[in-house]
Amino acid sequence: MTQETSSKVPTPENAGKAQASSCCCSAGRADALQASACGTPASGELNPPQAKLPHEAKAGAIAASELQAPQETEKGTEPDTLTVSADDSDPVSPSLAGSAAERFPSPAAQQETSPAENPARPDSSQWPIIPEGTYILGTDDGEGFASDAEGPARPVHIPAFRMSPYAVTNAEFAAFVQATGYVTEAENFGWSYVFQLLIPDSQQVKIVGSPQRTPWWLGVEGATWREPEGPGSGIGDRMDHPVVHVSWNDAAAYCAWAGVRLPAEVEWEAAARGGLERKRYPWGDVLRPGGEHRCNIWQGVFPTKNHASDGYLGTAPVDAYLPNGYGLYNMSGNVWEWCGDWFTSDPAQRGSSERPEGPAQGNARLMKGGSYLCHQSYCNRYRVAARSGNTPDSSTGNIGFRVVADL
């Protein structure tokens, strides 16, 4: 990796002050909003570059004829930044051009068509049905992080719904962008976080900074869903991989166009369990039954050596590994998946036993599933009960999303 450090690196006085996502370095540190969700930094930890970069076609990227390039933002317009309270521990979410509904019209406002009339939109009619029932969610397992409000385990009644068997892919997100001209927040900010080992030595990138507590994350100028490792990278051979570098707001915009929604946390967890009860993983309690890899997580010594014995250094195809009992793939590892809820570390705010949706407001949106960077020694949040959060405008190379549809 050829690295050019930008003059926009934050000063020691402001770097890392916006502590906006729950830390999973250890159980003892997960009770405060820290700098990392399984090593996943929040966008507020770095000052975004002042300039917005128009997209340029790079080697290995999708051809310009296949996608609409993002529109250039108005010169001199700067994105909202994360503000921090006086005690420097209670981050306040930025007001980013209103909500996703304001930045992107609702399906009704677009005179929504059916998937048959508009084949670019996902057809949920064949997705697995997660049956109505009372599920035991959360955990009393000793590996759980009580400071993340993983426990106590509790019964929750959930109506039936459909869930996509896969996380949203690059191909699906590309169809959304091509149909709408949507511009992601990473593109508007001009940078996004890339894990240090994923940038090839031959690739020249400009680094705008790095979080103090998670220095393996590099703020790479020009890193977007199209160019996940920055300018010069591409997704031409990863169209069946989960889209990354998408914020919660980006995911909500996709849902508005597609006529679907993000799952509530309890829906996500009930679906991830695949019909099993009180198990650690979607397939049972043993991480590698019979020595077989069942998910894409870190193999080796984090964060310096990944043996990739599970087959992947970064993201894997969305249908890699065996599905769970409901026919859902990669509910553990690969990429963190945004949920509709606000994150809370207070078990009392998780809601009632009737399809709870968490607190009515908050500083961070909830994420489930863990990612290819999770490791037992560092994070251990690829368990189905594990939970974390990040600010709604944050994007990294290990956050994606999955969608659901009502029956």
Side-chain angles (χ1 to χ4, degrees):
M1 173 180 61
T2 304
Q3 178 175 324
E4 179 183 349
T5 302
S6 169
S7 60
K8 306 180 184 70
V9 175
T11 64
E13 290 75 27
N14 64 26
K17 283 190 175 181
Q19 300 171 1
S21 54
S22 65
C23 176
C24 38
C25 296
S26 67
R29 297 177 60 192
D31 57 339
L33 290 176
Q34 296 278 350
S36 158
C38 193
T40 302
S43 66
E45 291 186 27
L46 290 181
N47 293 328
Q50 302 301 313
K52 313 295 190 303
L53 298 179
H55 174 70
E56 297 178 358
K58 303 291 182 181
I62 298 178
S65 60
E66 296 182 58
L67 293 177
Q68 293 183 9
Q71 302 165 356
E72 292 190 42
T73 54
E74 181 180 350
K75 292 183 178 180
T77 302
E78 297 182 8
D80 295 286
T81 55
L82 193 74
T83 57
V84 182
S85 59
D87 66 1
D88 203 26
S89 62
D90 185 16
V92 180
S93 295
S95 55
L96 287 167
S99 64
E102 293 173 352
R103 297 194 302 118
F104 190 78
S106 68
Q110 300 176 67
Q111 299 180 339
E112 180 180 4
T113 59
S114 69
E117 295 169 320
N118 185 351
R121 296 187 184 185
D123 180 3
S124 62
S125 64
Q126 302 303 310
W127 292 355
I129 295 177
I130 312 305
E132 179 176 2
T134 298
Y135 297 82
I136 304 300
L137 304 181
T139 186
D140 298 316
D141 189 334
E143 286 200 13
F145 296 141
S147 51
D148 278 355
E150 287 190 31
R154 70 203 193 282
V156 176
H157 181 263
I158 303 173
F161 63 96
R162 289 187 184 273
M163 175 174 269
S164 172
Y166 319 110
V168 173
T169 65
N170 283 315
E172 290 170 322
F173 199 79
F176 160 58
V177 171
Q178 187 165 2
T180 64
Y182 183 82
V183 180
T184 64
E185 292 193 298
E187 290 168 301
N188 278 327
F189 277 123
W191 64 277
S192 189
Y193 283 109
V194 179
F195 183 69
Q196 61 181 4
L197 297 186
L198 296 182
I199 303 176
D201 291 339
S202 60
Q203 183 178 330
Q204 182 173 352
V205 294
K206 180 177 288 187
I207 306 302
V208 302
S210 182
Q212 293 178 341
R213 288 178 292 276
T214 53
W216 45 85
W217 280 111
L218 305 178
V220 175
E221 195 165 289
T224 69
W225 71 273
R226 287 183 179 86
E227 299 176 304
E229 291 78 53
S233 63
I235 56 172
D237 60 349
R238 286 181 272 180
M239 298 305 286
D240 61 345
H241 286 225
V243 65
V244 293
H245 295 294
V246 285
S247 69
W248 186 94
N249 294 318
D250 297 330
Y254 174 92
C255 289
W257 168 77
V260 294
R261 61 179 174 84
L262 292 173
E265 178 189 17
V266 293
E267 292 175 323
W268 192 100
E269 185 174 331
R273 292 184 178 278
L276 302 179
E277 189 172 293
R278 297 181 184 270
K279 297 300 181 182
R280 191 171 292 170
Y281 309 112
W283 54 86
D285 283 329
V286 178
L287 180 60
R288 294 176 55 195
E292 180 184 5
H293 289 285
R294 293 292 185 92
C295 61
N296 177 21
I297 56 177
W298 188 274
Q299 309 291 326
V301 180
F302 188 86
T304 57
K305 179 65 176 178
N306 188 347
H307 302 297
S309 57
D310 55 11
Y312 303 94
L313 182 63
T315 59
V318 295
D319 60 352
Y321 310 104
L322 294 173
N324 72 0
Y326 290 147
L328 307 175
Y329 292 79
N330 288 330
M331 297 300 285
S332 285
N334 213 21
V335 295
W336 283 100
E337 297 182 5
W338 290 113
C339 291
D341 311 59
W342 290 102
F343 176 82
T344 178
S345 58
D346 181 359
Q349 294 184 13
R350 293 184 303 180
S352 69
S353 62
E354 292 293 327
R355 196 179 181 176
E357 296 182 354
Q361 58 185 1
N363 303 315
R365 289 290 186 175
L366 199 138
M367 306 187 302
K368 297 281 284 186
S371 82
Y372 58 83
L373 295 181
C374 284
H375 187 270
Q376 187 176 20
S377 68
Y378 173 72
C379 164
N380 197 21
R381 278 173 173 77
Y382 41 85
R383 296 168 294 103
V384 290
R387 55 205 308 274
S388 193
N390 214 335
T391 55
D393 64 328
S394 291
S395 65
T396 71
N398 71 336
I399 300 179
F401 66 103
R402 185 185 304 251
V403 296
V404 298
D406 296 314
L407 292 176

